[in-house]
Amino acid sequence: MSAFPSPLIENYLREAGFWHVATIGRGCKLDPKLISALMERWRPETHTFHFPCGECTITLEDVHLQLGLPVDGYTVTGSTQSTDWGAICYELLGAIPDRIKGGRIEMGWLRDTFPEPDDDSTEVELIRYARAYILQIIGGYLMPDLSRNLVHLRWLLKLDDFRAAGKLSWGSAVLATLYREMCGATVPNKAKIGGCLSLLQSWARYRLPFLCPRMNHPHTFPLITR
């Protein structure tokens, strides 16, 4: 799948609430030193960064401004247990991966199984491709785990109906995941961190302007695209 979404699935992505974040692309280069410095200031007890000048944290407003994800709506909830994940894959994606690890599938399988659609693609094929595309955004960018190569199929269950998916507060889920990962990263000898680190870095550069590289162009929406 290409970094920029195919215009053939634009309507589906807009309906599901993922169009803005899909146009960002996954080319944001992270600054490991900045991420490490921020993590040294993170306190799990208050879910805030402790700086000499005071405390601050990432809010839902920041998530919406940075990523363009919906923050109003229903909470993204649901069980991670399923009697047959293979059947769910076949119903919503039209294919079953060879390996499903605890409800997780490899994003490489999604890339290999769902080539970019063309003008001859049917509506069913476009819908399946859109679901696979959103899964890659979730598992590879918005809420990645430490492997950054697996995505849980519980997210696929939310993509059965794009209109219903668009009424969910995906921004809240992304922020909660990042909070959890940052809290976990404070454990001594923890070498890796998951979550949307691009959000963390972009937030820091926007809220703490002295950290931001010099730019000669105005901010765009979502802000992270700058």
Side-chain angles (χ1 to χ4, degrees), residues 28 37-38 52 59 69 93 96 106 121 155 160 164 181 185-186 192 195 204 206:
C28 178
L38 290 170
T59 66
L69 284 173
L93 296 177
I96 303 176
E106 296 179 356
S121 299
W155 309 120
D160 181 19
E181 292 294 333
T186 61
K192 294 183 178 180
Y206 178 67

Side-chain angles (χ1 to χ4, degrees), residues 81-103:
Q81 304 297 323
S82 175
T83 55
D84 194 341
W85 288 115
I88 291 173
C89 281
Y90 185 77
E91 178 183 356
L92 299 180
L93 296 177
I96 303 176
D98 295 332
R99 291 184 295 176
I100 300 179
K101 306 173 183 178

